[in-house]
Amino acid sequence: MRKNGVKRLLALLLAASMALGLGACGQPQAGENGAEDGQNTAAQAEEITLTDQAGREVVLDKPAETLVSCYYITTYAAIALGVADRVIGLEKKAETRPIYQMAAPGLLEREQVGTLKEFNVEAVAALAPDLVLLPKKLAEHADTLTGLGLKALVVDPETQQGLEQMLALIGKACGVEPRARELSDYYAAQLARMAELTEGLEKPAVYMAGNSSYLETAPAGMYQAGLIGLAGGENAANAIEGDYWTEVSYESVLAMDPEYIIVPPGASYTANDVRNDPQLAGVGAVVHGNIYEMPRGIEEWDSPIPSGVLGVMWLTSVLHPGQYSFDEFTADAQAFYQTFYGFDIDRALITK
């Protein structure tokens, strides 16, 4: 080989060597920092940061695969979001909730961890769930659970907005955000539909009776008062302030003179008890036979629960049957449970 050819060959080999060296410096080798950084990036991508409804920050490494639900509303939410199978512990008296048997019978076999008045921290800790769902009334236990190495998410679904925020939080925590959005979209569509159906119509006065007694009613600040308004009615007790069932006298009910009296699903009495009370004989709702019971054998549609929008729709069909018939509502309710709870509800349970 000629001398100039050798020089050129050496120059090419040197250039190739330098290029390989630069490439090695720019791209970390497997097993070095590059692989570790890649794992960290993946972990950060899976990390979920939430601000719960008590203003607390909750960080999960990944979507929660096991849950303890300490409140029937969060258990209902787990069913509606399609994650009931992740619930390994729940509130007491689960057997009194008809929807569990119909939509998620496995819940009845899960350990029960207490009530709002008697919450068992030790039982929750023993289950070691990825996430504990706590109502705001149990928020005082959140720090205790955190101290035991558990993640606790505090929720406050006492309004429609609060309900939707709760569903979004649990949806994100469990990695099922699309389902939470589907529920919110359904609410928006149906509430807009009810508003359109009742627009411009007269709003009858509606008396929402309490669970313990029909001489208790929902004042202006309760979820039930808002439900009446969304259904195209006017709460007969709007002049009463407060956000919890309020005791009233016979004289007060006579003065309100509601056109409709609604008996809630959890009532300890019946419409006949109201109808046959001689001291209410002069009330318009009694005179005209407008006393209705919300269905008792499904869920509490007068409450801020995932199916609570059905309470608005049910009451719309009662107050304005010409615009929205009960048969139409029944079909809508059946479709709701098939879509979001995954079962066919018995039409006979949808009553008024």
Side-chain angles (χ1 to χ4, degrees):
M1 184 179 288
R2 294 183 180 179
K3 188 174 182 179
N4 289 342
V6 172
K7 287 182 177 179
R8 284 196 296 272
L9 178 59
L10 290 172
L12 289 171
L13 290 172
L14 179 61
S17 176
M18 291 176 66
L20 288 171
L22 288 171
C25 291
Q27 301 294 327
Q29 299 301 303
E32 295 181 358
N33 290 337
E36 183 179 341
D37 290 345
Q39 291 169 356
N40 288 340
T41 300
Q44 290 170 0
E46 292 180 356
E47 192 174 87
I48 300 170
T49 301
L50 307 164
T51 300
D52 71 14
Q53 290 177 288
R56 301 167 55 258
E57 184 175 279
V58 181
V59 180
L60 302 174
D61 294 333
K62 60 180 182 178
E65 296 178 358
T66 55
L67 304 168
V68 167
S69 171
C70 305
Y71 188 34
Y72 77 96
I73 291 183
T74 51
T75 308
Y76 285 3
I79 298 173
L81 291 168
V83 294
D85 59 334
R86 304 188 198 185
V87 176
I88 58 175
L90 72 167
E91 79 286 351
K92 282 189 175 181
K93 299 184 179 180
E95 64 280 359
T96 67
R97 308 286 180 186
I99 195 66
Y100 295 173
Q101 182 63 54
M102 291 186 281
L107 290 172
L108 301 177
E109 300 173 4
R110 303 293 184 259
E111 184 168 349
Q112 299 185 9
V113 298
T115 66
L116 292 181
K117 294 181 179 179
E118 298 178 355
F119 179 59
N120 192 333
V121 173
E122 291 76 13
V124 174
L127 292 171
D130 293 337
L131 185 63
V132 181
L133 303 175
L134 287 172
K136 197 169 184 179
K137 290 181 180 179
L138 292 176
E140 63 189 72
H141 298 289
D143 290 341
T144 302
L145 292 168
T146 300
L148 294 172
L150 300 175
K151 306 290 186 179
L153 188 74
V154 178
V155 300
D156 186 22
E158 294 303 318
T159 64
Q160 181 64 31
Q161 182 181 15
L163 168 67
E164 294 186 38
Q165 289 173 345
M166 178 196 73
L167 291 170
L169 281 168
I170 299 175
K172 185 174 182 180
C174 294
V176 291
E177 293 172 273
R179 173 56 71 92
R181 286 194 293 270
E182 286 177 21
L183 282 161
S184 289
D185 289 346
Y186 181 87
Y187 301 151
Q190 296 303 327
L191 292 177
R193 178 184 171 205
M194 296 302 109
E196 183 177 356
L197 287 172
T198 60
E199 185 177 6
L201 300 180
E202 183 179 349
K203 296 183 177 183
V206 180
Y207 179 93
M208 179 69 76
N211 289 317
S212 301
S213 168
Y214 51 81
L215 290 181
E216 290 181 347
T217 192
M222 282 191 76
Y223 173 85
Q224 287 82 352
L227 183 157
I228 292 169
L230 291 170
E234 182 176 354
N235 183 26
N238 266 346
I240 302 175
E241 296 182 0
D243 58 3
Y244 197 69
W245 297 111
T246 300
E247 186 176 348
V248 293
S249 64
Y250 282 108
E251 291 75 12
S252 295
V253 180
L254 288 166
M256 293 178 195
D257 194 23
E259 298 169 69
Y260 290 81
I261 293 176
I262 304 300
V263 177
S268 58
Y269 55 91
T270 68
N272 277 336
D273 293 326
V274 180
R275 191 175 293 115
N276 296 327
D277 190 328
Q279 297 192 69
L280 295 176
V283 174
V286 177
V287 172
H288 298 290
N290 290 331
I291 304 171
Y292 294 91
E293 292 184 13
M294 298 186 84
R296 291 175 179 264
I298 311 172
E299 296 182 272
E300 300 83 350
W301 287 348
D302 66 323
S303 303
I305 58 177
S307 63
V309 68
L310 296 180
V312 175
M313 297 163 69
W314 176 89
L315 187 55
T316 302
S317 75
V318 168
L319 302 181
H320 305 289
Q323 282 65 44
Y324 184 50
S325 71
F326 190 71
D327 284 343
E328 189 174 2
F329 164 70
T330 299
D332 287 340
Q334 290 178 302
F336 174 87
Y337 280 107
Q338 180 57 55
T339 299
F340 294 107
Y341 285 56
F343 77 101
D344 293 319
I345 194 165
D346 184 351
R347 184 185 179 95
L349 293 173
I350 305 173
T351 57
K352 66 177 181 178

